[in-house]
C-alpha cells in the first residue's frame, strides 16, 4: 500500500522548500514542488528503486507517534515546518515552529538521501566539536560538544611522564540551547584562519571538527586569540551556559593586554566589511584598539586599511609565530572617511 508524504520547511527570509514523496512496494517517487520563494518546478520529479534498508529506515521513524504541534518559545529562529503523511486510511498532519520531534534529524537525513539537491541539512553543518587542551604537559582537558546528543562533556586529566590520572568528568545536557552554541561554533570555525606559531610553553589546543557530510578536520595551535582569532568569544558562549563548570580552557584563551616594556607588539586587525581577523606586528606603542591603520596585503604588499581589534605583548620565545616573518603595520591611516567603519 502506497505511503504519501508532503513536507515543507523554511522561513520568510530564506524561503521555503516543499517536496512530495510516494513510497510504493518496490520504489519511491519524489517531486520537488518549491525551492526558494518563487521557483516552482512541478516537472522536477523522479522514481527511485530504493533498497530494503531505505524502507526500513522510514518505517523506524514511526511518524504516527509524533505530536501534532511543536513550538519552542525560548529557541525560535523563525523556521517553520509542516508534514502531511498518509498510509491507507490513517493520516498525520503536524507542524512546528522552532521545535521538532525526537527523531527529526533521522527524518531529514532520510529525505536528503532521496533528494540531495534540496539539502534539508547543510552538508557542512557541524555535528561534533572536540577541543583538546594541554598546558606544560601537565593538565589535559577534553571538551566535546555533540549536536545530536545535545551535550557538553568535559574530561580533565593530570599527565606527567609517570602519571596519567583522571581528575574529573562532567556531562551537561543543553536541550534546545545546543543549537545556539553550534550557531556560534559554525560562525567561528567557518571563518577561522589559523595563524602559524613557534614552539613555546604557552597552552596548546587541538581541535577536531566533524561535519554532517562525515568529513573531519583537525587544527593544532597555541590556545590564544592571536593564533585562533575569535576563540575567546566562542569559549565565552559555551561558558555562558555552564557558569558553574571550572576548566583551564575557559581561562587560557584571552591574551594579557597590559603594556609591558621591551615586548614584541602584535595586533589583530579587521578589514572593512569583513568579520575575519588578521595578525600584524608593530613597534608603535601609541597604537590602540579602534585605530585605523595602513597594512601590507597579499604577495605584492598592496596597502589597505584595517581596524585594530586587539593588541598583545610577548617575549620573543612566547610569540605566537616568528617575529621576523610576520608582516608589520605601516602606520596610522590619516586620510579618508572611516566614521562608519
Amino acid at each position: 500500500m502506497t505511503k504519501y508524504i508532503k513536507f515543507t520547511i523554511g522561513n520568510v527570509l530564506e524561503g521555503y522548500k516543499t517536496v512530495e514523496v510516494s513510497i510504493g512496494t518496490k520504489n519511491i517517487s519524489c517531486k520537488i514542488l518549491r525551492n526558494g520563494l518563487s521557483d516552482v518546478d512541478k516537472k522536477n520529479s523522479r522514481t527511485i528503486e530504493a533498497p530494503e534498508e531505505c524502507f526500513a529506515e522510514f518505517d523506524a521513524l514511526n511518524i504516527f507517534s509524533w505530536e501534532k504541534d511543536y513550538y519552542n518559545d525560548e529557541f525560535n529562529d523563525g523556521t517553520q515546518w509542516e508534514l502531511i503523511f498518509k498510509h491507507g486510511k490513517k493520516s498525520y498532519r503536524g507542524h512546528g515552529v522552532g521545535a521538532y520531534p525526537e527523531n527529526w534529524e533521522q527524518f531529514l537525513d532520510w529525505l536528503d538521501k532521496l533528494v540531495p539537491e534540496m539539502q534539508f541539512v547543510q552538508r557542512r553543518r557541524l555535528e561534533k566539536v572536540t577541543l583538546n587542551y594541554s598546558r606544560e604537559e601537565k593538565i589535559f582537558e577534553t571538551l566535546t560538544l555533540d549536536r545530536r546528543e545535545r551535550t557538553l562533556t568535559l574530561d580533565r586529566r593530570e599527565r606527567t611522564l609517570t602519571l596519567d590520572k583522571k581528575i574529573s568528568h562532567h556531562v551537561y545536557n543543553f536541550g534546545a540551547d545546543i543549537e545556539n552554541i553550534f550557531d556560534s561554533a559554525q560562525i567561528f570555525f567557518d571563518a577561522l584562519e589559523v595563524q602559524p606559531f613557534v614552539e613555546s610553553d604557552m597552552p596548546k589546543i587541538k581541535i577536531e571538527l566533524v561535519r554532517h557530510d562525515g568529513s573531519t578536520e583537525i587544527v593544532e595551535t597555541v590556545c590564544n586569540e592571536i593564533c585562533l582569532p575569535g576563540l575567546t568569544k566562542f569559549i565565552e558562549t559555551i561558558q555562558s551556559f555552564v557558569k558553574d563548570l571550572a576548566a583551564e580552557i575557559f581561562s587560557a584563551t584571552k591574551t594579557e593586554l597590559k603594556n609591558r616594556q621591551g615586548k614584541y607588539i602584535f595586533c589583530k586587525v579587521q578589514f572593512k566589511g569583513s568579520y575575519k581577523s588578521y595578525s600584524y606586528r608593530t613597534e608603535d606603542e601609541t597604537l590602540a584598539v579602534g585605530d585605523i591603520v595602513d597594512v601590507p596585503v597579499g604577495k605584492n604588499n598592496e596597502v589597505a586599511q584595517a581596524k585594530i581589534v586587539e593588541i598583545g605583548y610577548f617575549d620573543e620565545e612566547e610569540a605566537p609565530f616568528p617575529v621576523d616573518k610576520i608582516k608589520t603595520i605601516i602606520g596610522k591611516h590619516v586620510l579618508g572617511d572611516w566614521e562608519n567603519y
Side-chain angles (χ1 to χ4, degrees), residues 132-199:
N132 294 292
Y133 167 85
S134 61
R135 176 174 58 82
E136 298 178 349
E137 305 300 330
K138 294 180 180 179
I139 300 297
F140 188 89
E141 294 177 342
T142 300
L143 188 153
T144 302
L145 293 166
D146 192 310
R147 184 192 291 270
R148 180 157 292 189
E149 297 296 326
R150 298 184 174 186
T151 57
L152 176 151
T153 303
L154 177 67
D155 288 303
R156 195 162 187 259
R157 309 182 71 86
E158 181 179 353
R159 285 184 173 181
T160 64
L161 293 175
T162 60
L163 177 67
D164 187 347
K165 178 182 178 182
K166 188 172 183 178
I167 299 176
S168 61
H169 174 78
H170 297 275
V171 178
Y172 284 75
N173 193 314
F174 287 107
D177 286 333
I178 198 68
E179 297 299 329
N180 290 328
I181 293 175
F182 269 93
D183 284 346
S184 177
Q186 198 80 43
I187 293 171
F188 170 46
F189 289 111
D190 283 353
L192 184 62
E193 290 191 6
V194 179
Q195 301 296 330
F197 70 96
V198 296
E199 289 298 327

Side-chain angles (χ1 to χ4, degrees), residues 1 32 91-92 126 180 272 296:
M1 184 176 294
I32 298 174
S91 64
Y92 166 86
L126 288 169
N180 290 328
K272 193 171 184 179

Side-chain angles (χ1 to χ4, degrees), residues 9-274:
I9 189 170
N11 57 54
V12 174
L13 294 177
E14 298 177 358
Y16 293 85
K17 300 178 180 181
T18 301
V19 64
E20 281 186 353
V21 179
S22 295
I23 307 172
T25 56
K26 295 183 179 180
N27 56 51
I28 298 175
S29 63
C30 307
K31 182 187 294 183
I32 298 174
L33 300 182
R34 185 182 296 269
N35 188 353
L37 288 172
S38 59
D39 180 20
V40 180
D41 184 4
K42 293 190 176 182
K43 296 181 180 179
N44 191 351
S45 61
R46 64 176 179 274
T47 300
I48 304 168
E49 292 186 4
E52 289 296 326
E53 55 265 27
C54 188
F55 297 99
E57 288 173 5
F58 176 77
D59 290 338
L61 295 171
N62 195 19
I63 290 178
F64 285 123
S65 69
W66 288 7
E67 301 290 336
K68 298 296 178 63
D69 297 289
Y70 291 87
Y71 188 80
N72 188 342
D73 286 319
E74 296 181 0
F75 178 73
N76 182 1
D77 61 357
T79 299
Q80 304 178 51
W81 61 271
E82 182 179 60
L83 174 65
I84 299 173
F85 173 52
K86 297 179 181 179
H87 184 202
K89 295 182 179 180
K90 295 181 66 177
S91 64
Y92 166 86
R93 183 167 191 157
H95 69 278
V97 179
Y100 312 92
E102 188 70 25
N103 54 355
W104 182 253
E105 294 290 336
Q106 291 90 325
F107 172 65
L108 294 185
D109 285 342
W110 183 81
L111 281 177
D112 273 341
K113 292 178 183 178
L114 303 181
V115 281
E117 65 268 34
M118 295 293 278
Q119 288 198 38
F120 289 109
V121 181
Q122 294 297 319
R123 302 290 185 266
R124 299 290 293 166
R125 191 184 79 169
L126 288 169
E127 300 295 339
K128 183 179 287 189
V129 176
T130 302
L131 308 178
N132 294 292
Y133 167 85
S134 61
R135 176 174 58 82
E136 298 178 349
E137 305 300 330
K138 294 180 180 179
I139 300 297
F140 188 89
E141 294 177 342
T142 300
L143 188 153
T144 302
L145 293 166
D146 192 310
R147 184 192 291 270
R148 180 157 292 189
E149 297 296 326
R150 298 184 174 186
T151 57
L152 176 151
T153 303
L154 177 67
D155 288 303
R156 195 162 187 259
R157 309 182 71 86
E158 181 179 353
R159 285 184 173 181
T160 64
L161 293 175
T162 60
L163 177 67
D164 187 347
K165 178 182 178 182
K166 188 172 183 178
I167 299 176
S168 61
H169 174 78
H170 297 275
V171 178
Y172 284 75
N173 193 314
F174 287 107
D177 286 333
I178 198 68
E179 297 299 329
N180 290 328
I181 293 175
F182 269 93
D183 284 346
S184 177
Q186 198 80 43
I187 293 171
F188 170 46
F189 289 111
D190 283 353
L192 184 62
E193 290 191 6
V194 179
Q195 301 296 330
F197 70 96
V198 296
E199 289 298 327
S200 71
D201 293 331
M202 299 177 69
K204 307 295 194 308
I205 190 168
K206 177 181 178 182
I207 303 171
E208 299 178 26
L209 307 176
V210 178
R211 299 187 183 270
H212 190 74
D213 61 5
S215 63
T216 301
E217 302 166 31
I218 296 178
V219 174
E220 293 185 77
T221 188
V222 172
C223 187
N224 65 24
E225 273 285 326
I226 299 296
C227 289
L228 289 172
L231 178 63
T232 298
K233 184 176 181 180
F234 173 55
I235 289 295
E236 287 176 346
T237 299
I238 298 175
Q239 195 173 14
S240 67
F241 291 96
V242 286
K243 294 183 174 64
D244 60 330
L245 181 60
E248 286 268 339
I249 192 172
F250 289 161
S251 60
T253 56
K254 290 184 179 179
T255 303
E256 192 175 0
L257 301 181
K258 63 183 180 181
N259 192 352
R260 290 176 285 181
Q261 188 175 4
K263 304 286 186 178
Y264 288 97
I265 308 173
F266 291 87
C267 299
K268 283 201 315 174
V269 306
Q270 288 182 343
F271 295 97
K272 193 171 184 179
S274 173

